Amino acid sequence: MQSAEGPKFVLELKGIHKRFPGVRALQDVHFQLRPGEIHALMGENGAGKSTFIKIITGVHQPDEGEILLNGEPVSIHNPKDSQHRGIAAIYQHVTCYPDLSVTENIFIGHETVSPLTRAIQWKSMHEEARKLLAELGSDIDPRTEMGALSVAQQQIVEIAKALSTKARIVIMDEPTAALTKRESEELYRITLKLRDSGVSVIFISHRFEDMYRLASRVTVFRDSQYIGSWDVDKITNDDLIMAMVGREITQLFPEKRAEIGAELLRVENLGKVGLFSGINLTLHQGEILGLTGLVGAGRSEVCQSIFGILPADAGTIYLKGQPVRINRPSDAIALGIGYLPEDRQKQGLVLSWGIGKNISLPMIDEFAGTWWLDEKKEGSVVRDLADFVKVKAGGIETEAGTLSGGNQQKVIVAKLLGTKPKVIIIDEPTKGVDVGAKAAIHEIMGELASQGFGIIMVSSEMPEVLGMSDRIAVMREGRISAILDRDEATQEKILEAAMAANYHAQEPLRG
């Protein structure tokens, strides 16, 4: 029975089950969302969060269970039905029309038309779009093409689109995964503003910071099942991790086992006009060199230069003491340098291909005869590599696009290892993956270091930088502002170097 003040929950799911052929996607899932609440939903990749979203937005229908909106049982037949009921979803990878304007993206499917002529009323739509964006504190021009906007700006447009449909329940799926720290802060501000206006938000994230900054309650799914719901201020990190992975992860970072050996890579005065200059770095066998700094400091560009994506204009690269020229990625691969890009979906994988074909792609010449491909040899090599990194999938034929973020990252590591590199460059190795997958990827990196690989790890996550690195190079505005040994590095020292007004001399290169 509802109180005079209205229903206790704007959305409630009771005993939801969903099965696909051979797969149990959701089993006895429960969820409750209060009016004007930001409710965090957490769980490892594969925990059932995506299916949960699709049930609420009408993409899938539950096999069993009940959905209630404002205390009333409902059936949500399709996404249009969900939209009419005041539900909107905003995804990590924004699903927009890049060649259309901001206004067109906001109002697509519910354009304002003249009742007499049925002509689209562009002027009023542009004005309404501007008003919606202004409510979110944004001055984006509604006539701008969507494809010209940053990811953060595109997400703001998606939120404006949700408001244009009068959405009262907004689902945000990993919205901060591709954002900088500053952009995340802006998204926090907008999300809190939505809450204060009475909108209820389901905020799905792998990041504890998102939960603490925004949510009053958190629900955890594991292995397609509901584990529990808690007030955020009444659950510890350790308890939350236990709920998410079903075991304690007392050591997210592996014990350091590798011995630091001879120099593998050295760069002297490396520069690329407009991006970075005067870069001096060394990397040794068994060493993990962390490369960090604020987003835009030039970290990824330095790595792309070493790999030949952005060939340097100045400076010298040495491998095992010998100067080398790297003008393209194929030069780097031939010299034993491997690169794992930050954007695994766009730059690291062919999502429609199977795991095996993705792994074997850079070494396909090894299996190619004059007239045929040695598929038996290819399959054997690929399976060994997939087993080494512990990819979880039904088989090597499984499409890469169907894997969780953590397993996609493992496939790229396996693909990289197939080229037999000596130096491995990894850009944001655990971006957008859950806590269990993070621990697994860190373990792989530790194992590779113990086998004598040299690893350059670009990371924006301070615990990862401090927990994995033997030395840490900090960048600011295209230059290295400090190099810190593992024992002396602290979060405060790294932030000071990343934000310092004046550079100080690098420590001498270690030979």
Side-chain angles (χ1 to χ4, degrees), residues 35 53 78 81 150 200 205 208 231 254 269 308 334 351 401 414 423 426 492:
I53 295 172
N78 51 56
D81 188 17
S150 69
S200 301
S205 178
F208 286 8
D231 291 337
N269 295 315
L351 296 176
V423 172
I426 303 181
E492 290 73 22

Side-chain angles (χ1 to χ4, degrees), residues 440-501:
I441 290 168
H442 291 154
E443 185 66 32
I444 292 168
M445 291 172 63
E447 177 63 27
L448 293 173
S450 72
Q451 294 181 16
F453 292 87
I455 299 173
I456 298 176
M457 178 190 73
V458 178
S459 179
S460 302
E461 295 194 20
M462 198 68 70
E464 183 170 67
V465 171
L466 292 167
M468 292 299 297
S469 307
D470 296 294
R471 287 185 303 140
I472 300 166
V474 186
M475 290 193 66
R476 182 182 184 273
E477 295 181 0
R479 294 181 64 87
I480 291 184
S481 54
I483 297 181
L484 306 169
D485 283 324
R486 183 187 188 113
D487 294 338
E488 66 173 323
T490 64
Q491 181 167 330
E492 290 73 22
K493 286 184 178 180
I494 292 172
L495 287 174
E496 181 182 2
M499 304 175 73

Side-chain angles (χ1 to χ4, degrees), residues 57-58 76-87 108-110:
T57 55
I76 303 176
H77 302 289
N78 51 56
K80 196 72 174 177
D81 188 17
S82 172
Q83 184 184 90
H84 285 156
R85 294 180 183 277
I87 300 170
I108 195 161
H110 60 286

Side-chain angles (χ1 to χ4, degrees), residues 8-250:
K8 185 176 181 182
F9 304 113
V10 294
L11 173 68
E12 189 172 8
L13 283 76
K14 296 181 177 180
I16 297 294
H17 292 253
K18 183 63 183 177
R19 303 174 191 84
F20 299 104
V23 178
R24 183 191 64 189
L26 292 175
Q27 182 178 14
D28 197 25
V29 161
H30 302 266
F31 188 83
Q32 296 172 330
L33 182 66
R34 295 169 179 160
E37 173 189 37
I38 300 175
H39 192 134
L41 176 60
M42 303 187 77
E44 293 190 276
N45 287 323
K49 304 187 298 296
S50 294
T51 305
F52 169 81
I53 295 172
K54 290 175 181 177
I55 291 288
I56 298 172
T57 55
V59 177
H60 296 318
Q61 312 305 310
D63 298 323
E64 300 176 41
E66 188 175 30
I67 301 175
L68 293 90
L69 282 176
N70 298 310
E72 299 294 331
V74 298
S75 295
I76 303 176
H77 302 289
N78 51 56
K80 196 72 174 177
D81 188 17
S82 172
Q83 184 184 90
H84 285 156
R85 294 180 183 277
I87 300 170
I90 298 159
Y91 298 96
Q92 172 186 348
H93 302 289
V94 178
T95 52
C96 66
Y97 296 90
D99 296 328
L100 299 184
S101 70
V102 167
T103 296
E104 288 170 304
N105 272 273
I106 289 175
F107 289 101
I108 195 161
H110 60 286
E111 297 85 353
T112 303
V113 298
S114 167
L116 297 176
T117 65
R118 306 305 296 169
I120 295 177
Q121 297 182 319
W122 289 108
K123 184 177 179 180
S124 64
M125 284 169 56
H126 285 314
E127 289 174 355
E128 180 64 18
R130 196 181 302 278
K131 179 181 175 183
L132 289 168
L133 292 165
E135 287 177 7
L136 299 174
S138 173
D139 59 357
I140 296 170
D141 185 342
R143 292 175 170 81
T144 304
E145 278 193 6
M146 193 75 164
L149 303 181
S150 69
V151 173
Q153 290 174 317
Q154 289 179 1
Q155 287 186 337
I156 292 172
V157 173
E158 286 292 291
I159 295 170
K161 180 178 179 179
L163 295 180
S164 77
T165 64
K166 312 300 182 186
R168 305 307 296 166
I169 297 171
V170 175
I171 306 165
M172 296 187 176
D173 185 14
E174 293 286 353
T176 61
L179 303 187
T180 66
K181 182 73 174 175
R182 184 177 299 175
E183 289 169 341
S184 294
E185 290 292 337
E186 180 66 8
L187 184 70
Y188 293 156
R189 182 190 67 77
I190 290 171
T191 306
L192 291 170
K193 190 169 185 177
L194 287 177
R195 178 202 65 187
D196 294 343
S197 70
V199 174
S200 301
V201 179
I202 302 172
F203 202 100
I204 300 170
S205 178
H206 288 126
R207 297 172 53 181
F208 286 8
E209 181 184 0
D210 292 343
M211 178 190 74
Y212 287 124
R213 291 291 300 275
L214 295 173
S216 57
R217 290 196 299 152
V218 57
T219 289
V220 173
F221 290 174
R222 183 178 77 237
D223 296 333
S224 307
Q225 299 181 65
Y226 169 81
I227 300 302
S229 298
W230 299 268
D231 291 337
V232 167
D233 59 1
K234 293 179 182 176
I235 187 169
T236 66
N237 277 7
D238 289 344
D239 290 339
L240 193 57
I241 291 171
M242 171 70 88
M244 290 169 64
V245 302
R247 63 189 186 281
E248 290 186 31
I249 299 186
T250 56

